[in-house]
Amino acid sequence: MQSVIRFISAAVLIFPAFAGVAAAQKVVVDADPAHVANTYSPVHSLGAAIDRLRTGTPDHLLKDPLLKEILNAGWQSVTYRQNTELMVEAWHWNPAGKWSNGEKREGYFVGRPEPGAEIHNSWAYPLPHRGFSRGDGNGWSRLTDGDIHSYWKSNPYLTKAFTGEDDSLHPQWVMIDLGTKIDVNAIRIAWGDPYAKHYAVQFWTGEMEPFYDGTMKGTWQTYPMGNITEGKVGTVTLKLVSWMIPVRYLRIWMTESSNTCDTHGSADKRNCVGYAINELYVGALSADGVFNDYVTHFPSRDQTITWPSSVDPWHAASDLDYGRGDQVGFDFFFNSGVTRGLPTMVPIAMLYATPEDAANEVAYLYKRHYPISYVEMGEEADGQHMLPEDYAALYLEFATAIHKLVPEAKLGGPPFEGTFGDVEVWPDANGKVSWLGRFLDYLKAHGRINDFTFFSFEHYPYQDRPSYSWADLYPEPEYVRHIVQVWKDNGLPPNIPFFMTEGNIGGGAPPSTVKSGLWLADYVGSMMAEGAGATYYFHYMPSPHSFSGFGNFLWIDENYNVLGYPPQYIAAQLITKEWVQPIDAPHKQFKASSDLSDAAGNVLVTAYAVQRPDGQWSVMLVNRDQSNDHAVKVLFNGAGQHQSSFSGQVDRITFGPNEYQWHPAPGGGHADPDGPPSKSAVLGSADTLYQLPKASITVLRGRIGQ
């Protein structure tokens, strides 16, 4: 087991081929200078992401000697993630600030933009008017919690008072999931203030859920008696149809508000716009007026599931929950050394925040003279089931506020959750379903496309469908190629850079093999070959005694001492220190291909080639065959079909089963060895066969000649 990071250079080995290897296959690099796939500096483009950390851990993780070990993996720039959006919480990035209702310490909190005492910790406040029964965290919906005095309320910033547009252009909705199809003919709605004057009660016609996979496999159909044009406050029972319709999903689609004030009073106009519902009931209404309710009302996740279009960011000081984790105070973060002094991508809270608070945050960071590259607007709006027009409306409100204080701030987003294909939503009036396409359409229609300076998304190919098959590795390059093409097809302007701001393989990569390391090499190589402006590894902050999931970039004990180095840590070193040159200078990446496949057509060896600032060509080869070594020739096709190859000494750096071996034990196990990659040298020529051990990453680095 390695106790320090070390790379052992073997004696220079000169050999043109390896005995006992089958007929060589070829790797061909399209080295035509006119075919550069991407140009980037690894210092700014190969980074890592830091998210909310468990309460009490930042003071251990962001300090030496552990921080030095984390940084020694080689990831450079950092993107700071915004986890409170996923938890449906208000984020107090600065604990110093003011409440809209200062006397009661409640309402809408705005952090102070002027630098003061160090912001060391950063906390979250679960929203009391939440309408989600699911999602991250442990919150539950107020729509089916059994408490007639609690209520869901929509986001006031999506009303005419703030968008300047008619409320019907930003319909708000709540959806209820009965769990299985049940015969239904009635709904009971306990309206709060403000209530809906115009709304429609609808049911989903599809067999699959209305989000994600099922979005285009059904439609929302209004009940025959479900269109309400003169809505009233209080509890109303509506017979929707004169017979029974078996349904699982129902939706209340709200288009005009009463604009009456909620329980927080009339002093703040935000209390008097949008929609509020105290409780929902769905069931069967008999001929004699008896209502049989099918909803489970409970203040926990055992309740019947509901989803809303948005949530009011109103909260109170009493909602603070230190146990939810620490977003890490900005001053501590920037002064800890984790950013290496490089420009950092920072987030604002947007889905559950106010424009003034977000603008003050950006102003604060600029006043502190922290180097900021980009500002990411909100977090995973698609995962919160927000329609693109609503996100776009908030985007413009927040952009206006930010640019009033910091005109030079570069804004973008959304970022999308990890996805294999297009993010589709319910069709608009024109039948368009692309989330990104409709978001861009909104900005263009409002003459504000210039406020969108970058596009960001996440990448988790196996987050929601863990698999332990080695074959999980094979589709990764095509996943990347496909999703990038999807964004382009949906209208992403070619002059706007795109960033993968958070990603990992997710499930299916236990520490018993090097699988996760091979995936990482394939992912980084393919994402950069497709033209990404940057890619950020998530999550490189370790957790004590975590040997799987996102907390296993380093193995540490309860005292935060390093116990070992997992495959992705070693693979990261190979990528950041051997494949690319670890300096702030342009690298040119070219497409490469191999003709080595198995009987099913799976490409067994993938290749990623860069021309480095030191004049060397560096080719990263991933042998995804877990059982067999392979030998390949490496050829470079230049302009005019001129072909060349490595010439002279070629450095060969390899990481595979010989450098990492897992030893299982009851309750866990350990790796020995756990690196470093092995080094040797080969004499390069057109006939040289380069050996690729089974299940390995190999970097070949040298100069080319005719």
Side-chain angles (χ1 to χ4, degrees), residues 52-58 83-84 87 89 121-126 136-139 317-327:
R52 177 154 56 172
L53 302 172
R54 286 192 296 174
T55 302
T57 65
N83 184 254
T84 64
M87 302 282 188
E89 299 167 341
N121 305 102
S122 177
W123 307 111
Y125 294 67
D136 289 349
N138 56 6
S318 58
D319 292 316
L320 174 60
D321 185 350
Y322 292 108
R324 295 292 187 107
D326 188 347
Q327 273 283 162

Side-chain angles (χ1 to χ4, degrees), residues 145 380 405 445 524 661 684:
D145 66 349
E380 298 183 17
L405 300 184
V524 171
Q661 296 178 17

Side-chain angles (χ1 to χ4, degrees), residues 375-386:
V375 178
E376 204 168 28
M377 307 282 276
E379 177 81 3
E380 298 183 17
D382 61 320
Q384 304 295 304
H385 308 302
M386 178 173 280

Side-chain angles (χ1 to χ4, degrees), residues 203-266:
F203 64 94
W204 182 247
T205 63
E207 295 297 320
M208 300 177 66
E209 42 74 38
F211 303 122
Y212 303 124
D213 295 338
T215 302
M216 298 303 297
K217 296 179 175 62
T219 59
W220 286 107
Q221 184 170 324
T222 300
Y223 279 97
M225 293 182 281
N227 193 35
I228 309 302
T229 58
E230 296 181 1
K232 305 295 183 182
V233 72
T235 300
V236 296
T237 301
L238 303 173
K239 188 172 183 180
L240 301 171
V241 62
S242 58
W243 61 94
M244 291 290 179
I245 298 178
V247 298
R248 174 173 176 177
Y249 302 97
L250 292 93
R251 184 177 76 170
I252 304 172
W253 186 258
M254 295 163 271
T255 53
E256 183 181 337
S257 171
S258 65
N259 294 323
T260 48
C261 302
D262 66 16
T263 59
H264 307 307
S266 60

Side-chain angles (χ1 to χ4, degrees), residues 173-197:
W173 49 269
V174 295
M175 191 194 84
I176 190 163
D177 176 4
L178 297 174
T180 188
K181 281 194 171 184
I182 303 174
D183 286 340
V184 166
N185 74 349
I187 190 169
R188 178 173 289 168
I189 308 171
W191 288 103
D193 282 307
Y195 58 92
K197 294 177 66 176

